[in-house]
């Protein structure tokens, strides 16, 4: 049976460094606390995927950050994020998973807490197909919420202009040039701006998921009502 790694790409929450596109309506400290809630819900989501080895890839790569993630995800293995760009860090993290003996590695974001667990399971099911080289979970903003493969394909992450609307399109063009079979999952969204925040508020009203995010938003609305 293939050994499968599910890796959560995570930042340690710092005011002024996380979810800055949501300042305002939130203060820098509130935005950091929102990200921490998203992160904790993502860890819970990853924990629900059967028959995988869960990892957190953490940034910054220092002792205090490692201790922080050991506290909130004690049952996850930890990998340092290394590299000056997101593409370099993704390449390092995915390559590390393979070097640790995993046959399939999937890296996911940490701010899509309502993502159905079925989509994470499907990512590995798709990689079980010998014809599939790469699996991608598209985001509505033109990026992706996950990428996975069975062998290193550094061009797919290193030669893409990350954090733009062209991330997915560029990745697919490189995959086609490399003659790689890329499979797309159902599109989802991450929480980056006010429209995403409004969307997750609606979603949380219809489903009992993402308890930390739900609690943060509830407390935030209660605080706003009192002020």
């Amino acid at each position: 049976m293939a050994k499968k790694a599910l890796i959560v790409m995570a930042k340690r929450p710092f005011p002024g460094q996380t979810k800055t596109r949501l300042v305002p309506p939130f203060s820098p400290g509130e935005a950091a606390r929102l990200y921490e809630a998203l992160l904790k819900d993502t860890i819970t989501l990853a924990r629900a995927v059967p028959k995988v080895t869960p990892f957190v890839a953490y940034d910054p790569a220092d002792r205090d950050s490692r201790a922080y993630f050991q506290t909130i995800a004690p049952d996850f293995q930890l990998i340092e994020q290394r590299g000056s760009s997101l593409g370099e860090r993704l390449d390092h993290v995915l390559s590390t998973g393979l070097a640790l003996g995993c046959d399939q590695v999937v890296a996911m974001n940490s701010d899509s807490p309502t993502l159905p667990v079925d989509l994470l399971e499907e990512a590995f099911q798709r990689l079980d197909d010998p014809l599939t080289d790469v699996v991608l979970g598209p985001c509505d903003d033109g990026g992706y919420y996950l990428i996975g493969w069975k062998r290193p394909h550094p061009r797919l992450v290193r030669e893409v202009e990350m954090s733009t609307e062209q991330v997915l399109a560029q990745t697919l063009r490189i995959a086609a040039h490399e003659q790689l079979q890329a499979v797309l999952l159902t599109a989802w969204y991450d929480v980056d701006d006010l429209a995403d925040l409004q969307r997750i508020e609606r979603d949380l009203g219809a489903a009992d998921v993402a308890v930390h995010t739900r609690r943060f938003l509830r407390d935030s609305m209660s605080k706003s009502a009192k002020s």
Side-chain angles (χ1 to χ4, degrees), residues 9 11 17-26 30-42 45 108-115 137-146 163 187-204 209-210 212-214 216-217 220:
M9 300 290 291
K11 296 180 179 180
Q17 297 182 31
T18 48
K19 294 303 162 195
T20 56
R21 291 166 64 186
L22 286 167
V23 179
F26 298 121
E30 289 170 333
R33 290 194 292 276
L34 169 61
Y35 174 68
E36 184 173 55
L38 297 169
L39 171 62
K40 288 180 176 179
D41 285 329
T42 301
L45 180 64
M108 64 178 293
N109 66 11
S110 52
D111 51 8
S112 298
T114 59
L115 184 72
C139 271
D140 292 341
D141 60 6
Y144 51 75
Y145 57 84
L146 69 75
S163 302
W188 207 254
Y189 69 100
D190 49 15
V191 180
D192 281 329
D193 57 24
L194 186 58
D196 301 326
L197 186 68
Q198 293 168 341
R199 180 173 178 179
I200 197 171
E201 287 175 335
R202 293 193 299 270
D203 285 353
L204 291 178
V209 295
H212 295 93
T213 303
R214 182 191 301 274
F216 171 86
L217 294 174
S220 177

Side-chain angles (χ1 to χ4, degrees), residues 33-109:
R33 290 194 292 276
L34 169 61
Y35 174 68
E36 184 173 55
L38 297 169
L39 171 62
K40 288 180 176 179
D41 285 329
T42 301
I43 288 170
T44 299
L45 180 64
R47 195 176 276 132
V49 182
K51 299 179 182 179
V52 303
T53 301
F55 290 81
V56 168
Y58 64 94
D59 179 60
D62 57 39
R63 183 178 299 177
D64 288 344
S65 296
R66 185 177 184 86
Y68 170 82
F69 285 103
Q70 284 176 329
T71 299
I72 68 168
D75 50 333
F76 283 50
Q77 297 187 42
L78 300 180
I79 299 174
E80 295 178 354
Q81 291 191 37
R82 296 180 184 174
S84 59
S85 68
L86 176 56
E88 291 176 0
R89 294 194 296 273
L90 275 169
D91 185 29
H92 168 75
V93 164
L94 291 165
S95 296
T96 298
L98 293 174
L100 291 172
C102 295
D103 304 297
Q104 299 177 8
V105 288
V106 170
M108 64 178 293
N109 66 11

